[in-house]
Amino acid sequence: MKHIHHIIPRHMGGTDDPSNLVELTVTEHAQAHRKLYEHHGKHEDKVAWLMLSGQAKDPEFVYSRAVLGGRTQGKRNAESGHMQRVQKM
């Protein structure tokens, strides 16, 4: 199964433009968010990394998600309908 990943994440100003999207496996997608988190320290990437790598019940995931107010997607993504568009892709 392939996932659509934003090269520049939406929470960092990235868009849904095809030039900013790449298909990755679930493992590659998790590693991409791990690298983004290690480089930029954004909790959104940490949550995505832990969730995609199957660590959603890990205490570190629960804490990171709480830092974001319990959200697994940002307010901007929720309001824009972004997740529905990505799922259709």
Side-chain angles (χ1 to χ4, degrees):
M1 174 161 84
K2 295 286 186 173
H3 278 206
I4 302 295
H5 171 71
H6 290 81
I7 298 165
I8 300 172
R10 288 182 47 89
H11 66 81
M12 295 174 68
T15 69
D16 291 336
D17 187 84
S19 66
N20 190 44
L21 303 175
V22 63
E23 280 191 2
L24 301 174
T25 67
V26 175
T27 301
E28 292 168 338
H29 198 180
Q31 292 306 310
H33 281 285
R34 179 185 60 81
K35 288 178 184 178
L36 284 166
Y37 174 69
E38 290 171 351
H39 189 262
H40 299 286
K42 299 281 188 175
H43 282 282
E44 292 89 342
D45 291 309
K46 186 174 186 180
V47 167
W49 159 41
L50 294 172
M51 187 171 56
L52 288 164
S53 62
Q55 301 178 58
K57 294 186 185 207
D58 185 280
E60 191 173 351
F61 171 82
V62 174
Y63 170 77
S64 294
R65 187 170 174 216
V67 167
L68 296 174
R71 295 175 281 120
T72 55
Q73 66 174 333
K75 181 179 178 183
R76 179 177 168 202
N77 288 345
E79 290 175 349
S80 70
H82 167 70
M83 293 307 293
Q84 290 84 6
R85 285 194 306 278
V86 169
Q87 289 168 350
K88 286 180 184 177
M89 290 180 191

